[in-house]
Amino acid sequence: MNPPAILLPGATLGVMGGGQLGRMFVHAAQRMGYFTAVLDPDAQSPAGRVSHHHLHGEYLETRHLAELARIADAITTEFENVPAAALEQLAVHRPVAPGGEAVAIAQDRIREKAHFTRCGVACAPHAVIETDEHLALVADSLLPGILKTARLGYDGKGQLRVATREALVQAWNDLGRVPCVLEQMLPLAAECSVVVARGADGRMVHLPPQRNLHRDGILAVTEVFDGVLPDAAAAQAVASTQAIAEGLGYVGVLCVEFFVLQDGSLVVNEMAPRPHNSGHWSLDACDVSQFELQVRTLAGLPLAVPRQHSPAIMLNLLGDLWRGGSTPAEPDWTSILALPGMHLHLYGKTDARVGRKMGHLTVTGPTAAAVRERALKACEVLGIQPFVSA
Ligand code: ATP
Ligand code: MG
């Protein structure tokens, strides 16, 4: 269906997926007076537990999709691995943003890289590997590299680092010989990302570029303040993100991740057709968060330019923090909350597994230096490895 004229507060907004991103979308929608509906198979899902309606069911089951389309006036998604076919089925009845085609491209590294190239945005040198012939034809210049499954990877899962041809052959076998991309290992100076929101009328607004630090393939720290990235790289990242969204005819919130190389050049890594972990800081340090932007794009509301009102650092809170001693224990939130400028977000997950995203902490303050000092103090209290800042 065509995008809605405008869905005013009082309407019901639906979301495919019940994880933390869905939960923060639901919070933003409810704050603005919308009703919400979540489709997720897990009865205890973080978003399902706070939504007005929670449909427990598989994403492709026709009866659940029909029910969601009946309850919700428009539908969005909180993760890219929702079957594009489900979004297309919903779109027969209701406005859906982002559209199934954009999500299908973001699900598949091969299609994603082709899209980036079409938009004139440089990717890492890479090769597509789908057959033994492709494997044999890989250029030596791509090694050492990282072999990534084309689909279903996240938080560094579905990736193996390879230094030699033998290791590459072994790695492709280990990944189950599914379609993959081999990327040259690049010398990174920094990583960054940009969150853009695009309305059905083509208007775009964006959050300031974010500097990201990953550990073991998982986002650990995001820093956002003036000077955190070289100006030229930051400007190029924004322009590239806009070109990528434009090229998709995108409606909704899109995040694009980039590598800043040691020679200062910028290379795109991947995109997420939804709000992103690296944009969570906007809940506490911006007047319009990435989740409110998702609500606005879905409801067809005007997109105001977000203004960052405080320097910010976000620390991810992984399940590891609950496992510091011999028995699982809750981190010391009392000491954290005694510090100034702490904004604690927990997603309501009960099982604190190693590497699982349980929550995040946004740190704000009057200056970048003050925020960095506070964030390092929080790392010390929580037992998070201190980060090396810009
Ligand atoms: P996400 O959870 O963001 O979806 P993912 O599992 O899709 O992660 P990538 O973003 O592809 O994984 O890679 C994870 C991290 O590994 C990157 O943020 C970066 O730190 C490192 N990395 C990935 N590709 C390269 C590369 N070609 N050269 C150097 N480092 C890389
Ligand atoms: Mg990534």
Side-chain angles (χ1 to χ4, degrees):
M1 271 181 72
N2 289 327
I6 290 181
L7 287 172
L8 290 172
T12 299
L13 302 181
V15 56
M16 294 288 277
Q20 62 267 20
L21 298 171
R23 179 179 172 101
M24 290 181 269
F25 168 78
V26 162
H27 284 154
Q30 291 179 344
R31 196 190 69 174
M32 294 172 75
Y34 290 94
F35 293 90
T36 60
V38 169
L39 174 58
D40 188 291
D42 178 4
Q44 300 300 320
S45 76
R49 290 168 69 162
V50 297
S51 176
H52 296 100
H53 305 275
H54 181 188
L55 310 174
H56 309 163
E58 294 305 326
Y59 301 114
L60 262 179
E61 219 175 287
T62 311
R63 110 188 120 90
H64 296 304
L65 293 174
E67 180 65 1
L68 183 61
R70 191 184 66 75
I71 297 174
D73 297 296
I75 297 144
T76 187
T77 183
E78 65 120 37
F79 71 128
E80 55 272 38
N81 292 325
V82 56
L87 294 180
E88 268 146 30
Q89 214 171 310
L90 289 167
V92 173
H93 307 285
R94 295 291 190 187
V96 171
E101 179 61 12
V103 174
I105 293 172
Q107 272 170 4
D108 184 332
R109 286 187 197 277
I110 299 171
R111 294 190 66 188
E112 185 178 62
K113 282 184 159 51
H115 177 72
F116 294 152
T117 306
R118 236 184 345 261
C119 296
V121 179
C123 310
H126 65 278
V128 172
I129 297 178
E130 291 175 308
T131 63
D132 287 314
E133 290 71 44
H134 293 159
L135 201 61
L137 286 172
V138 161
D140 287 336
S141 60
L142 293 181
L143 295 171
I146 307 187
L147 186 67
K148 305 181 177 183
T149 58
R151 303 175 73 88
L152 296 174
Y154 72 100
D155 288 348
K157 296 185 174 69
Q159 303 198 355
L160 292 169
R161 297 184 175 214
V162 291
T164 62
R165 284 188 169 273
E166 296 69 49
L168 173 61
V169 172
Q170 182 64 48
W172 194 48
N173 281 329
D174 292 347
L175 291 175
R177 300 170 66 85
V178 294
C180 282
V181 171
L182 174 68
E183 278 178 31
Q184 186 183 44
M185 180 74 84
L186 298 171
L188 309 189
E191 295 189 58
C192 67
S193 57
V194 176
V195 171
V196 70
R198 186 172 183 275
D201 59 358
R203 178 172 151 75
M204 279 191 268
V205 299
H206 63 88
L207 297 180
Q210 303 138 178
R211 180 179 173 126
N212 302 324
L213 172 71
H214 291 81
R215 292 196 180 117
D216 302 325
I218 307 177
L219 182 66
V221 182
T222 294
E223 299 173 278
V224 201
F225 41 79
D226 283 345
V228 77
L229 289 160
D231 286 348
Q236 197 187 336
V238 171
S240 298
T241 303
Q242 289 168 335
I244 289 165
E246 193 75 49
L248 289 167
Y250 195 82
V251 179
V253 170
L254 177 79
C255 178
V256 182
E257 294 181 79
F258 298 90
F259 301 137
V260 184
L261 304 191
Q262 280 165 13
D263 66 3
S265 62
L266 194 78
V267 160
V268 65
N269 175 20
E270 59 177 356
M271 64 179 172
R274 51 168 172 80
H276 191 259
N277 195 169
S278 60
H280 289 356
W281 65 275
S282 60
L283 284 165
D284 303 302
C286 261
D287 55 4
V288 185
S289 75
Q290 61 171 348
F291 300 101
E292 179 169 339
L293 290 173
Q294 188 180 19
V295 172
R296 289 187 185 220
T297 52
L298 186 62
L301 295 170
L303 297 179
V305 176
R307 185 183 68 86
Q308 180 176 5
H309 49 69
S310 170
I313 295 180
M314 186 223 56
L315 305 173
N316 258 346
L317 304 172
L318 301 182
D320 314 42
L321 301 184
W322 276 249
R323 309 226 150 228
S326 51
T327 49
E330 197 73 15
D332 184 2
W333 304 132
T334 318
S335 299
I336 285 296
L337 295 172
L339 301 170
M342 300 288 142
H343 311 271
L344 178 63
H345 299 254
L346 292 171
Y347 308 145
K349 299 179 183 176
T350 45
D351 185 11
R353 293 192 297 275
V354 170
R356 189 175 196 207
K357 290 173 179 169
M358 301 295 288
H360 69 270
L361 184 70
T362 310
V363 183
T364 57
T367 62
V371 170
R372 193 178 302 147
E373 194 186 313
R374 291 171 180 185
L376 286 169
K377 180 72 191 158
C379 286
E380 192 186 315
V381 171
L382 291 169
I384 298 176
Q385 192 190 324
F387 55 93
V388 183
S389 191

